[in-house]
């Protein structure tokens, strides 16, 4: 499955506004002065920019992604960062040398449970904290409401549980399941809500999001998602969407 730099750029302000500031600050505080932050599924480096925007602009980053196009943008935007092109599937191969914090944003919902369990086990063995932000939590709501919102959401959620590359994705369960798995490894886990709140001033993001939701819902079997899409698109300038996410911080046992 592919993500374009345009889509990641469109969603970045909403992501930044949604992130739980306390969890991000606590994650940044974990990083020893000479350590590297490894960002899994980095895309163009949005996580690093979020840390910088919240005052943590002196961190050393290692970006890991399998998309060469996104990494090229990351390399240009963050010349000081290490960029590693590779697949996340093999957790035992993650480049943890010199790493003081592992991060991921908008990634856990794409990953299967065994992958998260393997990650938690590897990070526990290495005593490295984990910050996983912006995992979709299955809740979508609009004001004003449309009669098909709940049915489209249900189909979209079913689609989110499909295979996104390395096995059936956790999708809407990713925050709660990841919290459970890290806690079982002895991590001290904090989970916090980080919803997108998209108003009429974010019409481009809202429209692109609606397209993606309708396409996924259609693929998952909703017969009239196109009708819902047309109605929702027509009212973007008068409506607000709330899309649920959660942020997770897992601190290893000492
Ligand atoms: C939703 S995007 C999030 C990107 C970035 N973290 C952000 O918040 O803008 C998911 C990212 O994970 C990467 N990704 C997904 N599956 C991957 C895999 N198996 N190996 C490496 N990267 C992967 C994609 O290429 C994409 O950049």
């Amino acid at each position: 499955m592919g993500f374009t730099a345009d889509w990641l750029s469109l969603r970045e302000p909403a992501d930044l506004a949604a992130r739980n500031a306390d969890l991000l600050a606590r994650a940044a505080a974990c990083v020893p002065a000479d350590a590297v932050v490894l960002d899994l599924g980095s895309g163009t480096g949005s996580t690093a920019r979020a840390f910088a925007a919240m005052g943590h602009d002196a961190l050393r980053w290692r970006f890991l992604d399998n998309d060469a196009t996104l990494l090229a943008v990351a390399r240009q935007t963050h010349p000081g960062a290490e960029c590693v092109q590779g697949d996340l599937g093999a957790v035992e191969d993650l480049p943890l040398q010199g790493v003081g914090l592992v991060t991921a944003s908008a990634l856990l919902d794409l990953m299967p449970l065994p992958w998260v369990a393997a990650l938690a086990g590897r990070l526990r063995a290495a005593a490295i904290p984990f910050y996983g932000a912006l995992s979709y939590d299955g809740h979508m709501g609009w004001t004003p409401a449309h009669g098909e919102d709940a049915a489209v959401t249900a189909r979209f959620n079913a689609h989110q549980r499909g295979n996104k590359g390395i096995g059936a994705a956790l999708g809407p369960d990713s925050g709660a399941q990841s919290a459970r798995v890290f806690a079982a490894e002895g991590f001290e886990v904090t989970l916090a809500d980080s919803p997108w709140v998209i108003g009429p001033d974010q019409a481009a993001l809202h429209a692109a999001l609606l397209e993606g939701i309708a396409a996924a819902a259609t693929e998952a079997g909703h017969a009239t998602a196109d009708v819902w899409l047309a109605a929702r698109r027509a009212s973007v300038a008068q409506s607000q969407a709330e899309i649920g996410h959660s942020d997770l911080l897992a601190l290893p046992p000492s």
Side-chain angles (χ1 to χ4, degrees):
M1 134 165 238
F3 295 91
T4 66
D6 284 350
W7 164 246
L8 296 181
S9 165
L10 195 56
R11 61 173 288 169
E12 189 164 317
D15 283 344
L16 183 60
R19 285 176 191 270
N20 181 283
D22 178 53
L23 253 60
L24 187 147
R26 286 174 58 199
C30 293
V31 188
D34 55 347
V36 170
V37 184
L38 171 65
D39 189 35
L40 306 178
S42 63
T44 65
S46 175
T47 309
R49 291 188 288 281
F51 275 71
M54 296 200 195
H56 310 286
D57 52 3
L59 297 169
R60 293 167 55 205
W61 288 89
R62 181 176 298 150
F63 296 143
L64 174 57
D65 205 287
N66 60 3
D67 188 315
T69 306
L70 297 179
L71 274 183
V73 177
R75 192 173 288 116
Q76 200 170 23
T77 314
H78 300 270
E82 265 179 79
C83 291
V84 181
Q85 187 180 356
D87 197 276
L88 294 170
V91 168
E92 64 277 13
D93 293 338
L94 293 179
L96 293 185
Q97 59 279 12
V99 168
L101 171 71
V102 171
T103 62
S105 298
L107 180 80
L108 289 177
D109 44 23
L110 303 175
M111 306 312 268
L113 184 59
W115 183 87
V116 178
L119 178 69
R122 177 114 201 259
L123 296 188
R124 188 213 148 101
I128 295 176
F130 176 68
Y131 166 78
L134 299 161
S135 304
Y136 173 62
D137 75 359
H139 296 102
M140 297 197 286
W142 284 266
T143 310
H146 180 281
E148 285 296 298
D149 289 345
V152 169
T153 299
R155 294 288 186 171
F156 178 75
N157 288 351
H159 189 274
Q160 293 300 100
R161 292 189 170 91
N163 188 337
K164 302 294 185 289
I166 54 173
L170 282 168
D173 307 320
S174 54
Q177 290 286 6
S178 300
R180 185 183 63 73
V181 160
F182 272 88
E185 286 286 349
F187 283 76
E188 179 192 321
V189 175
T190 312
L191 200 59
D193 290 337
S194 52
W196 279 356
V197 181
I198 303 171
D201 57 329
Q202 292 159 290
L205 173 62
H206 199 167
L209 178 65
L210 292 172
E211 298 273 357
I213 292 169
T218 300
E219 223 174 281
H222 194 290
T224 56
D226 55 334
V227 178
W228 173 85
L229 174 63
R232 278 258 150 259
R233 285 194 68 128
S235 66
V236 155
Q238 295 86 36
S239 51
Q240 175 171 293
E242 186 162 328
I243 312 295
H245 296 97
S246 65
D247 293 355
L248 174 148
L249 179 66
L251 305 177
S254 43

